[in-house]
Amino acid sequence: MTKVMGAAMRRIQAGNALTAFGIGFTVPFLYVYAAKVRELDPLWATCTFVAFALGALLALPFTGRVIDRRGPAPVVMGAAFLASLGSLSLGLSTTAAPILLSALALGAGQAVMQPALATMIVRCSTPSTRTRAFALQFFLQNLGLGIGGLIGGLLVDETRPGSFTLLFGIEAVMFLVLAGVIATVRMPQAPAISNALAKAAAQTGGGWKRLLEHKAMVRFCVLGFVLFFACYGQFESGLSAFGTEAAGVSPSVLGFALAANTGAIVVAQFVVLKLVENRRRSRVIALVGLIWTGAWILAGFSGLGHGGATMAAAAFVTTYALFGIGEAMLSPTLAPLVADLAPEGSVGQYNSAFALVKQMALALGPLGVPLGAGVPMFYIGTFVLVSLGIAWLALRLGKQLTPVQDNPALARGAVAAETARAAEPVPA
């Protein structure tokens, strides 16, 4: 069983990394493609992102039930084919309607992959190995995105529409590679959902009622929404607007800041893992809130104009790096906690619910743009308070968790102690 789980995990992680590599080719250039290459009105170009998010929001509410009933592997493969079709169509589209429909399909496919892949990782890991498995997934995702974005930037040319078609074509192929890799994965046997459980899920709207009655999960979803809105939701929207308008940083500095974020994750991921894997998850998340509080204060300093343009740029880049360190702390914490909160037979449902929360936060993230560009210090003050709120919510969540849910190391210690007792010689 251990060999099966190890081989399956390696293939899942390889497919995940290759997919991130393909996505990295297109993510930084989607707006440029819609607005500059296909010459859409800025409003329609912005609607491309709306369609992308809408596809995710439409698909995710139904994803969890399918994962739990049919298994995660078929869902990953179906989502990969849909995303591949959307990506290829996007690269070939020239007018608004086909571009929006392609973005809708691409967004739905990518969003569905997330909880399905997370469920595969859960099934191919144990509570003692799950933290490292999700840390490795996050590391490979960011490494793939960074390398893909770097190579894509070298290939792309606004004057040659064919160069963008090439990028979207590469992304489409990587999705098909993921489907091929997952098709070869031999999943370990998972407990089947009993007929009674399946019937109960159907009567309660696919498990949503049971999830909403789970107080710890609901509180965790609220915390997750705030985390994603305050960090990921601001990277390419409100914080970027603040940097260019208030701090006066150039687009090249903004690009370097995004690179510093990815670099911080890649460099710090496994160092941070050793610091957090034996500690209470609620306190780790609370510490992230405090680190991000410092990041927002530093961002505010970059917008005050003290120390000149060089100092502002350095402070702004450091802000993104601090966010990356916080992300590296969250990657081995959030996803394993979702799995530990999920009742038997509902891991897919819980993963999908948390992915839906993330997508909602990302969709609302651009609401920070008017504040970041128009009233920058109010924007910074707001997110300083939001980050402090993250720490408070995390500590409150800790009171709703069992000791083992909050710190899986306790379970490992108990198993080790039991094994030691079993190995003791029996007195004559």
Side-chain angles (χ1 to χ4, degrees):
M1 177 64 75
T2 302
K3 290 183 178 179
V4 171
M5 293 173 67
M9 182 66 76
R10 286 191 292 272
R11 296 187 183 194
I12 294 167
Q13 297 286 26
N16 174 70
L18 290 171
T19 304
F21 174 72
I23 293 173
F25 273 87
T26 62
V27 166
F29 314 111
L30 185 56
Y31 182 83
V32 173
Y33 172 71
K36 303 293 185 182
V37 177
R38 299 309 184 191
E39 298 180 344
L40 298 188
D41 181 90
L43 177 61
W44 285 109
T46 303
C47 285
T48 304
F49 293 95
V50 176
F52 189 89
L54 183 61
L57 295 176
L58 290 175
L60 283 171
F62 308 100
T63 300
R65 188 178 181 185
V66 178
I67 292 173
D68 290 328
R69 284 177 171 267
R70 304 297 180 187
V75 176
V76 173
M77 289 187 284
F81 279 113
L82 178 62
S84 179
L85 179 63
S87 181
L88 184 60
S89 177
L90 191 57
L92 296 173
S93 299
T94 57
T95 57
I99 286 175
L100 295 179
L101 289 174
S102 300
L104 189 76
L106 179 59
Q110 283 190 217
V112 170
M113 283 181 212
Q114 296 175 23
L117 283 169
T119 303
M120 292 187 76
I121 291 174
V122 170
R123 291 191 182 179
C124 293
S125 62
T126 64
S128 62
T129 62
R130 195 163 293 149
T131 297
R132 286 186 170 270
F134 278 105
L136 178 60
Q137 182 201 32
F138 191 68
F139 170 82
L140 292 175
Q141 278 181 340
N142 281 276
L143 187 62
L145 287 169
I147 296 174
L150 178 63
I151 298 175
L154 297 175
L155 296 176
V156 75
D157 183 349
E158 287 185 34
T159 64
R160 292 190 300 111
S163 66
F164 285 86
T165 302
L166 174 63
L167 296 190
F168 285 107
I170 293 172
E171 182 183 42
V173 169
M174 289 298 103
F175 286 131
L176 294 179
V177 169
L178 172 65
V181 170
I182 295 301
T184 68
V185 172
R186 181 186 170 194
M187 293 288 291
Q189 292 296 321
I193 304 175
S194 67
N195 291 334
L197 182 59
K199 183 177 179 181
Q203 292 173 344
T204 57
W208 281 102
K209 181 179 179 182
R210 180 171 60 166
L211 188 150
L212 293 173
E213 290 174 347
H214 189 168
K215 292 182 179 179
M217 184 60 185
V218 170
R219 185 163 288 181
F220 184 49
C221 285
V222 171
L223 172 60
F225 178 87
V226 178
L227 280 166
F228 294 126
F229 180 73
C231 176
Y232 300 94
Q234 301 307 310
F235 271 2
E236 297 178 7
S237 58
L239 190 55
S240 297
F242 171 85
T244 55
E245 298 295 333
V249 301
S250 65
S252 61
V253 171
L254 180 58
F256 191 73
L258 290 167
N261 173 261
T262 301
I265 293 170
V266 171
V267 171
Q269 182 64 82
F270 292 103
V271 176
V272 167
L273 178 62
K274 292 181 179 180
L275 299 176
V276 306
E277 64 180 341
N278 293 322
R279 287 173 171 76
R280 293 176 61 179
R281 289 164 167 167
S282 58
R283 293 187 178 179
V284 170
I285 300 172
L287 179 57
V288 171
L290 296 180
I291 291 173
W292 285 358
T293 299
W296 283 107
I297 292 173
L298 194 59
F301 173 79
S302 72
L304 293 176
H306 299 313
T310 302
M311 186 68 72
F316 195 73
V317 169
T318 305
T319 296
Y320 273 73
L322 287 175
F323 274 116
I325 292 173
E327 291 174 74
M329 295 171 66
L330 291 177
S331 64
T333 305
L334 298 183
L337 182 52
V338 174
D340 289 348
L341 285 170
E344 182 179 322
S346 296
V347 175
Q349 180 77 60
Y350 274 56
N351 278 326
S352 296
F354 201 67
L356 179 61
V357 166
K358 179 178 180 179
Q359 289 297 328
M360 291 172 62
L362 295 179
L364 294 175
L367 293 177
V369 172
L371 295 178
V375 279
M377 288 303 117
F378 177 77
Y379 173 74
I380 293 296
T382 298
F383 280 95
V384 165
L385 294 178
V386 168
S387 298
L388 291 173
I390 288 171
W392 179 76
L393 287 171
L395 295 176
R396 293 270 296 175
L397 173 66
K399 298 178 181 179
Q400 293 285 325
L401 303 176
T402 66
V404 172
Q405 286 172 342
D406 202 16
N407 187 359
L410 297 177
R412 294 195 292 271
V415 170
E418 184 65 28
T419 302
R421 283 195 297 269
E424 291 177 358
V426 178

